[in-house]
């Protein structure tokens, strides 16, 4: 708070100058959330005007009688569930503090009485980036005994993957081993988690309520001269904005092995704001031809009336707009096998690894075609997951494109079992939507993938394929800000002539001096395959030098192979050029991550 602001906040005769000075000194270090809490707390005291001793006792009670919610989120879902639960618990009269795990000091856990953990799982059973440090702390010898702690854990995941909700399971096991008591069983949520979370929060809130009910009512009183952060966008996953597709074009060559598209979407009149590093959620409609094949295979007309969630509608519309058909999942295979009494499918279900491989290569209609049977319309809806939107890293900065948002999307399209198959959202954007068509979207904030606050900080960007998307946004932002920090891009794809995405733009940034270095890895332009991790190792001495100069390093793209290979290359670079052991190099990289200088947007 500046001196000019303090003049505007004149005590106006209510406080002495000395009292005003002390109050100013006390609130100066507080953030917006803390100021809001203090204002409500003081308002409550003013209403009852308790003596000082009672005030001290009340403060001590309120300090201990609170619920702490910790979330770890890779794509924003866990954050959203945590924020919704905070509001729900507060409406039930519980005092709540909400923290991203990355912003929470793990040692504080020993001072907590009641904690809720809401966390997703990343990659092959790994903690999301913002939960890594907290996850490691609980698994270490430094973790304290927690006999006085009561907790509840919610995991978000996808049962199609082997390590379903693994991070939540880890937290549950560690807290229990440290002596903490679970107030209810861990909730492991699949992709359609809304109903499960709703039931859970009502149950767990009742369990917490008697112990944590706030001792007094409080209200938020705005403090004169203190600016309040702007409200979040009214548009969300549950309430998307109906945007307009302005342009869509293929940006790989005619002979490319990939079909990558650039889309420009208008957000005009939405008021939606986003930052480089954020993602755009895209709702889509399933392909009409695929829906027809499914209906024909099952002997259904599509005109049957069904209930899909809260909506009553025709089966064809439900399959087109509400249900997940392009991704297969174990819950459908199990329900369909039971309904059709298919002994072969039942046998496949017993081989978990084989089932995952089988499902990864098939859409719902392929399973039904391979194991034909009869199911009713409502029975089919009950077997299927609700559709979930797809998230795409935003490829633009509003400093450059204003009320538009740009995407870089790889079209999923392949021939299998005698038919052309397409991905849900990528197929809809590329073939199901014409320019000028309407599309439902929302912004998913990603605070784990942000440019450095200091524009003079060097930046290393590693993004093969469509992983280049957020770095286009980064460069647009750096150009608009006239940032002085150096920029280095590592990009890879199959062929230089066919697959150098946004080549003209990158060349312009090089020419103007904004992009200092470009390291390219076109894997099929020579006999030996070359990928971005190979270019990193080749330039290892300079990469380490940039890191020593304070560079921030970003990785975007494939989680299962590329991101792991890049991570290992970075450890090798630090070990070799920093003269460190393997363990020391891994700790160096870990410290980069904790300092938010090593950030990943991987999928």
């Amino acid at each position: 708070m500046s001196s000019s602001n303090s003049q505007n906040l004149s005590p106006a005769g209510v406080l002495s100058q000395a009292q005003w000075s002390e109050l100013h000194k006390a609130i100066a270090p507080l953030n917006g959330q803390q100021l809001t809490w203090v204002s409500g707390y003081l308002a409550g005291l003013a209403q009852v005007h308790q003596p000082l001793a009672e005030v001290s006792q009340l403060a001590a009670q309120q300090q201990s009688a609170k619920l702490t919610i910790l979330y770890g989120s890779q794509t924003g879902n866990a954050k959203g569930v945590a924020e919704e639960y905070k509001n729900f618990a507060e409406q039930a009269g519980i005092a709540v503090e909400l923290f991203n795990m990355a912003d929470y000091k793990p040692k504080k856990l020993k001072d907590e009485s009641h904690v809720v953990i809401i966390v997703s799982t990343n990659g092959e059973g790994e903690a999301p980036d913002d939960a890594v440090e907290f996850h490691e702390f609980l698994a270490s010898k430094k973790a304290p005994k927690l006999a006085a702690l009561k907790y509840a854990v919610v995991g978000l995941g996808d049962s199609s993957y082997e390590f379903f909700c693994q991070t939540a399971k880890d937290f549950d096991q560690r807290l229990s081993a440290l002596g903490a008591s679970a107030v209810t069983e861990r909730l492991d949520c699949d992709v359609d988690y809304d109903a499960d979370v709703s039931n859970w929060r009502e149950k767990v809130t009742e369990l917490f309520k008697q112990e944590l009910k706030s001792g007094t009512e409080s209200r938020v009183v705005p403090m004169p001269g203190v600016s309040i952060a702007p409200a979040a966008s009214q548009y969300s996953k549950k309430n998307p904005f109906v945007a307009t597709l302005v342009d869509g074009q293929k940006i790989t060559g005619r002979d490319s092995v990939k079909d990558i598209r650039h889309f420009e979407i208008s957000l005009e009149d939405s008021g939606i704001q986003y930052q480089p590093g954020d993602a755009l959620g895209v709702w889509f409609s399933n392909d009409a031809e695929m829906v027809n094949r499914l209906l024909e295979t099952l002997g259904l007309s599509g005109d049957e009336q069904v209930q899909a969630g809260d909506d009553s509608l025709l089966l064809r519309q439900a399959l087109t707009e509400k249900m997940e058909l392009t991704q297969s999942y174990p819950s459908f295979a199990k329900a369909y096998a039971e309904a059709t009494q298919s002994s072969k499918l039942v046998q496949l279900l017993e081989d978990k690894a084989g089932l995952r491989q089988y499902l990864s290569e098939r859409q719902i209609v392929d399973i039904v075609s391979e194991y034909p049977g009869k199911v009713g319309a409502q029975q089919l809806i009950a077997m299927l997951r609700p559709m979930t939107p797809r998230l795409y890293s935003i490829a633009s900065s509003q400093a450059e494109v204003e009320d538009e948002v740009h995407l870089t999307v790889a079209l999923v399209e392949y021939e299998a079992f005698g038919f052309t198959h397409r991905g849900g959202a990528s197929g809809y954007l590329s073939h199901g939507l014409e320019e000028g068509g309407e599309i439902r979207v929302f912004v998913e904030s990603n605070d784990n993938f942000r440019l450095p606050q200091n524009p003079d900080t060097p930046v290393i960007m590693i993004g093969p394929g469509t992983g280049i998307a957020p770095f286009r946004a980064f460069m647009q932002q750096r150009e608009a800000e006239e940032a002085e920090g150096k920029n280095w891009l590592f990009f890879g794809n199959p062929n230089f002539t066919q697959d150098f995405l946004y080549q003209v733009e990158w060349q312009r940034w090089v020419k103007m001096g904004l992009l200092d270095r470009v390291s390219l890895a076109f894997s099929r332009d020579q006999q030996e395959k070359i990928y971005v991790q190979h270019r990193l190792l080749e330039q290892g001495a300079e990469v380490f030098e940039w890191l020593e100069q304070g560079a921030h390093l970003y990785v975007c793209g494939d989680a299962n192979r590329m991101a792991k290979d890049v991570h290992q290359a970075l450890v090798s670079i630090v070990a070799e050029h920093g003269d460190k052991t393997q363990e020391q190099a891994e700790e160096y990289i870990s410290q980069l991550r904790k300092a938010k200088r090593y950030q990943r947007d991987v999928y």
Side-chain angles (χ1 to χ4, degrees):
M1 190 178 294
S2 67
S3 58
S4 61
N5 282 341
S6 65
Q7 291 171 2
N8 295 334
L9 286 169
S10 169
V14 178
L15 303 176
S16 70
Q17 191 59 45
Q19 288 173 320
W20 171 245
S21 180
E22 288 297 316
L23 177 61
H24 183 195
K25 190 185 302 181
I27 66 174
L30 302 182
N31 61 30
Q33 182 182 16
Q34 292 167 327
L35 285 169
T36 299
W37 186 91
V38 169
S39 67
Y41 173 66
L42 293 176
L45 295 184
Q47 289 177 358
V48 295
H49 192 60
Q50 290 135 309
L52 184 59
E54 293 180 28
V55 170
S56 299
Q57 183 179 8
L58 175 62
Q61 290 173 347
Q62 289 199 340
Q63 179 66 22
S64 60
K66 68 175 175 62
L67 173 65
T68 297
I69 303 174
L70 305 175
Y71 70 85
S73 186
Q74 196 68 30
T75 62
N77 286 336
K79 177 183 178 182
V81 171
E83 290 174 339
E84 288 181 0
Y85 183 57
K86 175 181 182 292
N87 294 335
F88 186 87
E90 286 177 335
Q91 290 172 8
I94 296 174
V96 181
E97 285 189 324
L98 174 70
F99 295 94
N100 182 322
M101 290 182 187
D103 301 325
Y104 183 80
K105 293 183 179 179
K107 291 183 180 179
K108 283 182 59 180
L109 196 62
K110 67 180 185 300
D111 301 321
E112 306 285 4
S113 62
H114 299 77
V115 168
V116 165
I117 286 178
I118 301 172
V119 67
S120 62
T121 295
N122 190 31
E124 296 182 4
E126 301 158 6
D129 288 348
D130 54 4
V132 169
E133 184 177 356
F134 188 57
H135 186 263
E136 290 177 349
F137 174 81
L138 279 187
S140 72
K141 295 179 180 179
K142 296 179 181 179
K145 296 297 182 184
L146 300 171
L149 179 67
K150 295 181 179 179
Y151 73 92
V153 176
V154 175
L156 301 185
D158 183 338
S159 61
S160 301
Y161 292 93
E162 180 178 1
F163 299 99
F164 175 56
C165 290
Q166 185 60 50
T167 306
K169 294 173 184 176
D170 292 345
F171 278 127
D172 189 19
Q173 292 167 359
R174 285 303 300 158
L175 290 172
S176 178
L178 293 168
S181 303
V183 297
T184 187
E185 290 183 358
R186 182 187 69 250
L187 175 66
D188 293 338
C189 295
D190 214 332
V191 291
D192 50 336
Y193 54 78
D194 287 344
D196 289 338
V197 167
S198 178
N199 293 334
W200 169 88
R201 70 187 181 193
E202 291 185 11
K203 175 183 177 182
V204 79
T205 301
E206 284 300 316
L207 295 172
F208 281 142
K209 191 184 295 184
Q210 295 307 315
E211 298 177 43
L212 294 176
K213 189 100 179 207
S214 298
T216 62
E217 295 293 326
S218 65
R219 57 192 178 95
V220 175
V221 180
M223 300 181 72
V226 177
S227 61
I228 303 298
S233 169
Q234 61 177 309
Y235 300 108
S236 63
K237 177 180 176 182
K238 295 180 181 178
N239 181 38
F241 174 68
V242 180
T244 303
L245 179 65
V246 176
D247 186 31
Q249 56 183 298
K250 184 180 178 183
I251 55 174
T252 44
R254 181 188 305 171
D255 299 323
S256 174
V257 295
K258 295 184 176 183
D259 185 341
I260 296 178
R261 309 285 178 109
H262 172 80
F263 296 102
E264 299 181 0
I265 297 169
S266 173
L267 302 176
E268 189 174 2
D269 297 330
S270 70
I272 290 175
Q273 299 290 307
Y274 61 85
Q275 298 182 58
D278 287 344
L280 190 75
V282 174
W283 287 98
F284 59 96
S285 295
N286 284 315
D287 179 66
E289 185 178 335
M290 177 180 62
V291 171
N292 287 336
R293 283 180 51 216
L294 180 60
L295 290 170
E296 290 171 7
T297 304
L298 290 172
L300 297 167
S301 70
D303 296 328
E304 299 85 352
Q305 195 77 19
V306 295
Q307 190 75 23
D310 296 330
D311 300 316
S312 179
L313 65 174
L314 298 182
L315 175 61
R316 184 183 303 277
Q317 184 183 359
L319 294 176
T320 302
E321 300 176 1
K322 300 291 185 181
M323 312 314 296
E324 183 63 71
L325 301 181
T326 56
Q327 294 180 347
S328 297
Y329 29 94
S331 59
F332 174 80
K334 181 179 179 182
Y336 185 71
E338 291 174 351
T340 59
Q341 297 295 302
S342 171
S343 58
K344 290 184 178 180
L345 190 52
V346 169
Q347 186 176 358
L348 178 61
L349 288 168
E350 296 173 357
D351 177 8
K352 291 186 178 181
L355 177 64
R356 280 193 300 275
Q357 181 64 33
Y358 174 85
L359 295 176
S360 70
E361 299 169 348
R362 288 166 175 80
Q363 297 181 338
I364 295 296
V365 67
D366 300 319
I367 301 172
V368 170
S369 298
E370 189 170 352
Y371 300 101
K374 294 293 182 182
V375 296
Q378 189 61 52
Q379 192 178 16
L380 174 62
I381 293 298
M383 294 176 183
L384 294 168
R385 281 180 178 172
M387 181 184 290
T388 54
R390 306 298 192 254
L391 295 177
Y392 294 103
S393 301
I394 292 175
S396 56
S397 163
Q398 284 187 297
E400 170 70 20
V401 304
E402 298 181 344
D403 59 1
E404 288 186 358
V405 60
H406 296 179
L407 302 180
T408 311
V409 177
L411 171 63
V412 176
E413 187 173 53
Y414 57 96
E415 296 295 323
F417 314 110
F419 295 94
T420 299
H421 291 60
R422 293 193 183 111
S426 67
Y428 179 66
L429 282 164
S430 303
H431 293 282
L433 196 64
E434 296 182 355
E435 291 179 13
E438 295 183 339
I439 182 169
R440 296 170 297 148
V441 301
F442 60 95
V443 169
E444 193 71 74
S445 178
N446 184 1
D447 292 333
N448 299 316
F449 206 75
R450 290 281 184 254
L451 277 166
Q453 290 186 348
N454 183 349
D456 296 336
T457 303
V459 164
I460 300 173
M461 302 167 286
I462 305 165
T466 56
I468 203 171
F471 303 134
R472 181 176 185 262
F474 277 19
M475 293 301 291
Q476 288 182 353
Q477 185 73 23
R478 299 273 267 188
E479 180 180 4
E481 293 177 349
E482 299 181 353
E484 295 293 331
K486 296 187 296 182
N487 300 288
W488 188 349
L489 173 71
F490 286 84
F491 172 71
N493 237 352
N495 299 106
F496 175 82
T497 58
Q498 303 291 320
D499 306 307
F500 193 170
L501 307 183
Y502 305 111
Q503 179 181 357
V504 173
E505 295 181 33
W506 294 109
Q507 288 174 332
R508 183 178 69 83
W509 283 319
V510 169
K511 187 175 182 179
M512 67 183 289
L514 183 65
L515 185 60
D516 297 81
R517 296 287 302 274
V518 181
S519 297
L520 302 172
F522 291 102
S523 59
R524 301 190 183 184
D525 279 351
Q526 61 285 309
Q527 187 172 359
E528 183 181 356
K529 296 286 181 67
I530 295 178
Y531 300 108
V532 286
Q533 63 267 24
H534 301 133
R535 295 301 188 212
L536 276 168
L537 291 167
E538 290 172 4
Q539 309 291 332
E542 288 181 84
V543 170
F544 184 69
E545 184 180 342
W546 278 48
L547 292 176
E548 287 290 276
Q549 292 171 357
H552 285 218
L553 190 146
Y554 302 87
V555 181
C556 182
D558 172 60
N560 292 328
R561 289 172 293 181
M562 182 278 297
K564 291 181 179 179
D565 291 339
V566 164
H567 182 87
Q568 192 52 53
L570 292 171
V571 172
S572 299
I573 286 168
V574 172
E576 179 181 355
H577 300 286
D579 192 25
K580 300 180 186 297
T581 65
Q582 175 83 4
E583 186 176 346
Q584 289 170 334
E586 289 176 350
E587 178 59 24
Y588 182 99
I589 297 296
S590 177
Q591 290 303 318
L592 289 181
R593 187 188 65 238
K594 291 175 183 178
K596 294 188 180 294
R597 289 179 51 204
Y598 174 29
Q599 299 184 36
R600 306 192 308 166
D601 177 11
V602 296
Y603 38 83

